[in-house]
Amino acid sequence: MRIDLLQGTLDMLILKALTGGPMHGYAVTSWLQRTTDDALQVEEGSLYPALHRMTKRGWVKSDWGVSENNRRARFYTLTAEGKRQLKEESTSWARLTEAVAKVLHSRPATQVA
Amino acid sequence: MGWMVDRYRTLRSLLWRERLEDDVAEELEFHLAMRTDELVAQGMSPEQARAEALRRFGDVDTYRRQTHVIDQDIAHERRRIELWDMVQRETRQALRSLARSPTFAVMTVLTLALGLGATTALYSVVDAVVLRPLPYAAPEQLVSLDSRVPGVSPEARWGLSEAGYFYFAREAPSLASLGVFSARSASLASDAGPVRVDTAWVSASMMDVLRAQPALGRLLPRESDLPGAPRIAVLGHAFWVRQYGADPRVLGTVVHLDDVPTEIVGVMAPGLHLPEGTVDVWAPLTLDPARPPVNAHWLQGVGRLRDGVSAARAQAELTGLDRRLPELFPSAYSEEFMRQKGFATDVTPLKRHVLGDVDRVLWILFGAVGLVLLIACANVANLFLVRAESRRRELAVRSALGAARADLSWHALTESLLLCLVAGALGLLLAWSALRLLTFLAPDHLPRLGEVGLDAHGVVFTFAISVIAGVVFGLFPLTQLGRSLSALRESGRGLTSSRRRNLVRWGMVVGQMGLAVVLLTAAGLMLRSFWGLYHVDSGLKTESALTFDFVLPGTRYGSYDAANRFHRELLTRLEAVPGVTHAGATSRLPLRNFNGCAALFTEHGPLGDDSVCLPTPSASPGAFKALGIPLLEGREFTWEDLDGKADGVVVTKALAERLWPGQDPLGKGLRGNGHEPPYYRVIGVTGDIRAQGLDKPPTQAVFFPLAPAENLPLWGPSRVMSVVIRTSTSRPEQLAPVVRSIMKELDATVPVANLETLDRVVSQSPSVARATFSLLLLGIAGGMALLLSAVGLYGVISFIVGQRRGEIGIRVALGARASQVAGMVVLQVLRFAGLGIALGLVGALSMSHLLSALLFEVSPTDPVVLAGVCALLVLIAALASYGPARRASRVDPAEVLRSE
């Protein structure tokens, strides 16, 4: 099943991925796929503009390092600001899903004559 | 050292912008490679795996591009922040370091600011007057046309004649258009009363020549200059704003221009004036092609060359056309006139024509100010040297402790750039105030004066010089650094290297002294010129006299009778005012507009039929008494002379001596060009007057009466007049209100103009005003040179004496007397000062010919000035060495030896 992501949701997921420590982009994709059991089908490439945009905003910072199989790769680290951002976003996401769930679980309104 | 790395990064990202792109590509490729590897591990063939990886990745190019754009933003932002941080950090550091030596900082800034301010101010003048093109479209195509008749007067420039204008406009293919004008003031009467306006009477073609555009309404259409065309006028933009408050409703209104009802049809685009000066009103000149040609050259010609045509080609063409004048216009241009007198029409690029020799004066002054800047720079260089000296140890220690050489020079550079930029800003402020003063003091005839002001050019100029100075001075400590290291090894006692540095220092002093000699010589020569001009006997009595101008409209004062009734009534009333001793009028006021060139013939005498070219003003009875011009022989005009019976003229002494040497001039005959005998008779001879400039020889002129004698044709009635009132008070300007009210009673439509004292007319006359202006500028430059050299000299001597304390202490200990020690210091100073002065004299003498254009009755190698300047500088050098010498003589040997 393919789920389209809401605007900004990808950012939140990436931030979450990085809470485990510095990662390169490929690792972030793999982590997302693993964690969601491949439910999220985003184009892998779309991750990179997102990562760089977040770098620009100061949520993550990047450094060149060496990957587990000895290749040069860019590693992203969560900054303090990024952590704050993640907290904010997850809070509002929780509120949103809660609200949506309430609506979906309510009984349909009936016309009272 | 972290900031060094930052700086390196900033530099690298500036230079290696494309690296960003490589980084992104590498990152994306890493991802694809990882995915491919994983898929291969799962059993795909490498090709399949790669294709699948690409499919999952999506549009690689788009993502790469997006990512790269974001990275560029990031890099840009970081660069900005880093640069700003760096500037702040370096500035703070420089400020801290400068705060530790405030005297150095203040001296540097003040010295440079003075030099920069003066240079910028003068640069702005040179730029506006000389460098900037004329404010017309394609100004390089504009040429001035005028005529020369060497046989009549070698230097007089005549304009074009009406016939010449029509002829050249028709026949010269090099000229895309040709226009003529006559700039003359007029009275403009509207409901608000009469005002005097600078009017450009122009041919309609002038609109094409200047490529003029209206700001409002329309301009003068073709054929508006033909006889019978409706009378219309266009207002100058500045005049429209000033007089009408920029009210567009002025279009279509009718004013009286020289008493003729004239409709305002438009307003000229802002800033458009005649090449020679401002224009309040543009009105068509009535030119009739059918009028018989006359050899009267009263029109100024301006032509526009066709695209790609040179002025030289136009000149060749006009010279060819000149040859056909006698054949085409036999009544006006005889073969004899053309051949004997050598008539020629000249084509001059308009800018050259407008500037005259003003650019030379300005370049000289600019050069003088540039020298001041050089002196200021030498001074600052010395200040920097002294500072570098005092910081030698500090630098040496820091560099020994591992500070990179680049770091240290970077600090020094920031420091000097900071100082120079502050000095530049202060200099701009000075320049701005100086320009206001300059435009106020500049001679009235300085062309394009209205365009002078501090603008972007001046700011860029100052900024550029500040930066250059900052970099140069910043490099000084760098040259010292290598030696600092060795200095440390020698425990700070590098005697040879300090001697070499002292030589550099003395070299600067010698240079400064030399430049000061050049400048002071120029200022001194100017002072003598000015003094000379000031003491020239103009032949007039300029004190206690008031003067004003007016123009009578031709409609009501077209006849001699009408004009003279007005003149007589005016002068009679003025003479009746208490405090007024004499009142007179003349059509040409000495030292203001005493020009003109009419060909005259004498009855008999050495010149025979040869004509001379002279100003021929008309003068009222009482004019000579009012002007204070004495009559050596005969008498002046009386009102009885003006009833049409008398035929007297008054000549100046210089003319009488030229025309009738050794003879009695009274009763001799003179007639004007084209007029047939009989002759006017000389009734009086004035004393020598210098009416055409105090720097010119005594004026040769003939004063004609206000009306001609019977059968003796004369130019039209004198309607453009200057009145002179001689008073018994020392404050003639107090009579101004009375003068205005009398003029108003007589004819309220005739405006009073140029109401001022005769003293002011003299001080504003071109030769005096130019001398005043040049003297002022050269004087300021010379004074600054003197001050700066004195300060610089003092600084260097103080420093060197301080350095030699040890040696002096030993000398004193060995028995040298105080006077001997002081004498030794003074002697050393005088030796170097003398060398500087000698070099300066060589410079001054080799540049003397440049100055001669500005001088009056003084040789550019005037011994008095040269000797005076040398004496003054020796005195300054002695004074500057006095303090340090005294200090040296009081050195306590015991204390010095202890401190060693």
Side-chain angles (χ1 to χ4, degrees), chain B residues 49 167 178 191 206 292 387 486 582 616 709 711 771 833 874:
Chain B
Y167 171 55
L178 175 62
D191 301 340
M206 275 300 278
R387 179 171 167 77
S486 60
H582 300 285
T616 51
N711 305 322
V874 168

Side-chain angles (χ1 to χ4, degrees), chain B residues 341-640:
Chain B
K341 311 287 190 225
F343 178 89
T345 306
D346 285 346
V347 178
T348 324
L350 190 59
K351 193 166 159 188
R352 177 111 305 280
H353 176 82
V354 171
L355 285 184
D357 69 345
V358 157
D359 57 340
R360 201 158 78 180
V361 176
L362 287 180
W363 282 118
I364 289 174
L365 296 177
F366 187 49
V369 174
L371 291 186
V372 171
L373 182 64
L374 266 185
I375 294 182
C377 283
N379 242 336
V380 173
N382 257 340
L383 285 169
F384 269 89
L385 271 182
V386 170
R387 179 171 167 77
E389 186 73 21
S390 63
R391 293 178 73 192
R392 212 148 55 96
R393 283 267 185 149
E394 178 203 337
L395 287 180
V397 169
R398 281 175 60 182
S399 94
L401 289 177
R405 193 182 166 120
D407 266 12
L408 294 180
S409 26
W410 189 270
H411 286 318
L413 202 62
T414 324
E415 222 178 79
S416 71
L417 271 176
L418 189 69
L419 285 177
C420 292
L421 286 176
V422 171
L426 195 61
L428 276 182
L429 197 71
L430 283 176
W432 180 79
S433 351
L435 277 176
R436 294 188 58 126
L437 189 71
L438 272 186
T439 42
F440 175 70
L441 291 168
D444 283 348
H445 75 300
L446 188 69
R448 311 181 74 191
L449 190 66
E451 297 170 42
V452 171
L454 193 61
D455 60 1
H457 290 221
V459 174
V460 169
F461 176 82
T462 316
F463 183 71
I465 296 195
S466 306
V467 169
I468 293 171
V471 169
V472 171
F473 292 136
L475 294 179
F476 261 108
L478 195 67
T479 61
Q480 300 283 305
L481 205 61
R483 295 195 204 114
S484 308
L485 292 169
S486 60
L488 195 66
R489 277 195 293 277
E490 295 162 20
S491 69
R493 300 199 98 199
L495 193 64
T496 45
S497 69
S498 92
R499 188 167 283 164
R500 194 161 69 209
R501 267 192 302 283
N502 283 349
L503 266 184
V504 174
R505 233 166 248 134
W506 283 120
M508 301 260 187
V509 166
V510 168
Q512 273 186 8
M513 280 279 162
L515 294 176
V517 169
V518 173
L519 279 174
L520 285 173
T521 306
L525 290 171
M526 218 45 238
L527 184 67
R528 284 211 57 173
S529 295
F530 183 77
W531 194 250
L533 269 181
Y534 191 77
H535 283 93
V536 162
D537 183 8
S538 65
L540 324 170
K541 274 198 283 207
T542 57
E543 68 285 357
S544 303
L546 192 66
T547 170
F548 66 93
D549 298 350
F550 62 87
V551 183
L552 295 178
T555 45
R556 281 178 287 126
Y557 300 96
S559 71
Y560 289 108
D561 269 357
N564 285 345
R565 261 200 308 279
F566 183 90
H567 295 145
R568 185 166 190 169
E569 183 64 27
L570 172 65
L571 296 178
T572 313
R573 286 203 198 189
L574 285 173
E575 281 194 325
V577 173
V580 173
T581 53
H582 300 285
T586 171
S587 60
R588 300 274 173 211
L589 192 66
L591 292 169
R592 175 168 317 125
N593 60 354
F594 207 88
N595 46 25
C597 175
L600 286 172
F601 296 84
T602 53
E603 186 178 22
H604 30 62
L607 292 171
D609 273 343
D610 221 358
S611 59
V612 290
C613 180
L614 297 175
T616 51
S618 57
S620 78
F624 297 102
K625 285 206 184 70
L627 281 162
I629 301 175
L631 279 171
L632 300 182
E633 288 179 70
R635 59 177 185 87
E636 69 172 305
F637 302 113
T638 63
W639 287 110
E640 289 67 44

Side-chain angles (χ1 to χ4, degrees), chain B residues 687-704:
Chain B
D688 267 338
I689 57 170
R690 289 173 203 262
Q692 291 170 305
L694 292 181
D695 55 344
K696 301 264 166 58
T699 306
Q700 303 178 8
V702 186
F703 290 91
F704 279 84

Side-chain angles (χ1 to χ4, degrees), chain B residues 16-79:
Chain B
W16 302 98
R17 220 164 255 208
E18 68 273 22
R19 256 203 78 92
L20 291 175
E21 202 147 12
D22 294 349
D23 279 357
V24 172
E26 190 179 348
E27 188 178 15
L28 301 193
E29 183 50 41
F30 169 77
H31 183 109
L32 289 169
M34 291 293 280
R35 176 68 68 213
T36 310
D37 286 356
E38 194 190 307
L39 293 171
V40 169
Q42 286 170 13
M44 283 193 189
S45 75
E47 290 77 26
Q48 278 176 322
R50 177 77 186 178
E52 176 60 15
L54 281 170
R55 195 193 57 76
R56 290 203 202 173
F57 196 85
D59 186 350
V60 179
D61 276 348
T62 306
Y63 289 132
R64 184 168 50 216
R65 214 167 30 244
Q66 282 179 0
T67 311
H68 176 58
V69 167
I70 297 169
D71 275 14
Q72 270 182 328
D73 277 2
I74 296 174
H76 185 82
E77 176 71 11
R78 186 190 299 150
R79 210 152 51 222

